[in-house]
Amino acid sequence: MLKGPCQPGDHDFPKRQFGVTIRRFNPSWFKEFSSWLEYSIEKDAAYCLYCYLFKTSSEKQGGGESFVGEEQARSAYVTRLNASIDCVRVLLRQGLSFRGHDESEDSLNPGKFLVQLQFLVAHNEAINAVTLGNAPHNCKLTSPDVQKDIVNACAIETINVIIKDVGDSLFSILVDESRDVSMKEKMSIVLRYVDNSGYVNERFIGIEHVTSTTALSLKTAIDKVFSRYNLSMSRLRGQGYDGASNMQGKFNGLKTLILKESPCAFYIHCFAHQLQLALVAVPKKNIPITNFFRVVGDVINTVGASSKRCDLLREKQLDFIVEALEKMYLQRLLKMNLVLMIKDLMQ
């Protein structure tokens, strides 16, 4: 570090393919970026000594011009990064998508992330001066990779807050698994705990990809999550799953595997799954209810397939509501008249 950046100008820099073009490192860049650019011959890669020079460039170069320029570049970078983070936070909070089909500069609808950033730029001069068109072409901080990095950072910080809130208190887990559109088995994990204020909280902490849905595979995935967030199985006091055999099996189910390690982890059959099973079982034993659900399904399929039928159904429903309100008004009017007649008779 004391010797400054390594800049081997006579090195035979290798050529690499970038897309459809062949490119290589240009030694003239050493002159243009002499204060921070260096090249590792061993790894055949360029590096930046920015952080080091930010602290020592004033002493090494005997002046403040380079220091001021690098300070301005760093400030502009921080401004661009904060703008991208603010846009990501808004989209994540609302659960909105990021990308657009056409994200070119001439696109009228480049996606929610870029539209949000453009709106922010249009209403803030400080951000406008260093963002989008006024930013370096290789440091705009708007690429999909940058968006994903910011999203992952937000997810990590959010989970860290949840784990900190759990602290050393006892907790339970809610687990369910399902197959997504990419035909991969995913397991969702939720923590249920009581915070310091006495409120019961349920916090989603992530989705884990599992290669199979056997109890042993699910238990291994849960152990990895516990190890990642420093959660102790000894503090587990409850577990809630559906009624599948791999989840609540008496001998080799996930419930049993966890109970062997933590005997205090009381198992509860998920109430939502219990309700679903009850709703499925009742129509099978009751013909009127079976007919009711069949008619409802037919009505939905028939009406939903035509906008004209939807409008007609709304009109009929409106007439029904108006008639019901009129009858209710007449009933109230008759009751009032009856009360007045009784009062007159009593007087």
Side-chain angles (χ1 to χ4, degrees):
M1 294 294 289
L2 294 177
K3 294 180 180 179
C6 177
Q7 300 177 344
D10 56 350
H11 177 64
D12 184 15
F13 300 100
K15 296 181 180 180
R16 294 186 178 91
Q17 184 169 356
F18 291 85
V20 296
T21 60
I22 304 295
R23 304 183 63 182
R24 72 167 188 167
F25 185 86
N26 191 347
S28 63
W29 293 339
F30 286 140
K31 297 180 180 179
E32 186 176 357
F33 309 108
S34 61
S35 60
W36 57 269
L37 183 62
E38 75 165 3
Y39 192 92
S40 171
I41 298 178
E42 179 182 356
K43 297 182 179 181
D44 273 325
Y47 294 92
C48 172
L49 289 184
Y50 184 100
C51 296
Y52 165 70
L53 292 174
F54 176 71
K55 298 179 181 179
T56 61
S57 60
S58 176
E59 293 83 356
K60 290 182 63 177
Q61 300 184 15
E65 295 182 359
S66 177
F67 178 82
V68 172
E70 290 167 359
E71 175 66 16
Q72 291 177 349
R74 184 175 187 275
S75 177
Y77 176 84
V78 172
T79 302
R80 283 194 299 274
L81 180 59
N82 286 334
S84 296
I85 291 175
D86 290 339
C87 294
V88 169
R89 291 177 61 188
V90 171
L91 296 177
L92 288 177
R93 181 170 294 181
Q94 297 298 322
L96 301 175
S97 59
F98 282 57
R99 304 294 305 283
H101 293 294
D102 182 9
E103 296 186 351
S104 62
E105 295 182 358
D106 300 331
S107 175
L108 298 178
N109 186 15
K112 294 182 177 63
F113 174 81
L114 291 178
V115 169
Q116 183 81 12
L117 186 59
Q118 291 170 359
F119 177 85
L120 192 61
V121 167
H123 292 77
N124 192 305
E125 291 296 334
I127 297 177
N128 182 35
V130 296
T131 309
L132 294 179
N134 297 323
H137 293 294
N138 61 343
C139 190
K140 290 187 176 182
L141 299 181
T142 58
S143 68
D145 292 336
V146 172
Q147 297 176 29
K148 292 177 182 178
D149 288 341
I150 297 175
V151 170
N152 291 332
C154 291
I156 293 173
E157 291 299 322
T158 301
I159 295 178
N160 288 338
V161 172
I162 295 173
I163 299 302
K164 183 178 180 181
D165 191 33
V166 175
D168 296 330
S169 61
L170 306 176
F171 63 91
S172 301
I173 58 171
L174 305 175
V175 176
D176 197 7
E177 51 84 18
S178 179
R179 183 180 300 176
D180 62 9
V181 294
S182 62
M183 303 301 291
K184 293 182 179 179
E185 291 289 345
K186 299 294 181 67
M187 180 181 67
S188 60
I189 302 177
V190 175
L191 294 184
R192 181 180 173 91
Y193 63 96
V194 180
D195 60 16
N196 295 329
S197 301
Y199 294 101
V200 178
N201 297 306
E202 289 185 359
R203 296 290 183 261
F204 172 76
I205 61 172
I207 296 178
E208 294 294 318
H209 171 59
V210 290
T211 56
S212 66
T213 57
T214 62
L216 186 59
S217 298
L218 299 180
K219 176 62 167 57
T220 302
I222 292 175
D223 289 338
K224 290 181 180 179
V225 173
F226 276 39
S227 176
R228 185 187 310 155
Y229 301 126
N230 294 324
L231 296 173
S232 175
M233 192 68 71
S234 62
R235 292 190 284 117
L236 186 63
R237 290 297 181 269
Q239 45 181 332
Y241 321 123
D242 59 17
S245 59
N246 64 330
M247 306 299 282
Q248 69 164 355
K250 184 176 181 180
F251 299 102
N252 295 316
L254 177 61
K255 171 197 73 173
T256 305
L257 296 179
I258 291 181
L259 284 174
K260 290 179 180 179
E261 188 172 348
S262 179
C264 297
F266 184 73
Y267 168 74
I268 297 177
H269 190 182
C270 174
F271 291 129
H273 286 90
Q274 291 186 50
L275 178 60
Q276 180 188 15
L277 294 174
L279 290 176
V280 172
V282 169
K284 292 181 179 179
K285 302 296 183 180
N286 192 300
I287 295 178
I289 297 179
T290 302
N291 293 333
F292 168 76
F293 281 108
R294 180 181 56 79
V295 171
V296 170
D298 293 341
V299 170
I300 292 175
N301 293 332
T302 303
V303 176
S306 172
S307 58
K308 294 181 180 179
R309 295 169 189 162
C310 288
D311 294 337
L312 181 60
L313 182 62
R314 293 191 185 97
E315 292 177 1
K316 295 295 183 182
Q317 181 68 12
L318 179 61
D319 295 339
F320 174 78
I321 293 175
V322 172
E323 182 181 355
L325 291 175
E326 290 177 351
K327 290 182 178 179
M328 187 182 301
Y329 174 75
L330 292 175
Q331 291 176 357
R332 291 183 177 179
L333 186 61
L334 290 174
K335 288 182 180 179
M336 291 177 60
N337 291 334
L338 181 61
V339 171
L340 292 175
M341 291 174 60
I342 293 174
K343 288 184 177 180
D344 292 338
L345 291 174
M346 291 179 65
Q347 292 178 355

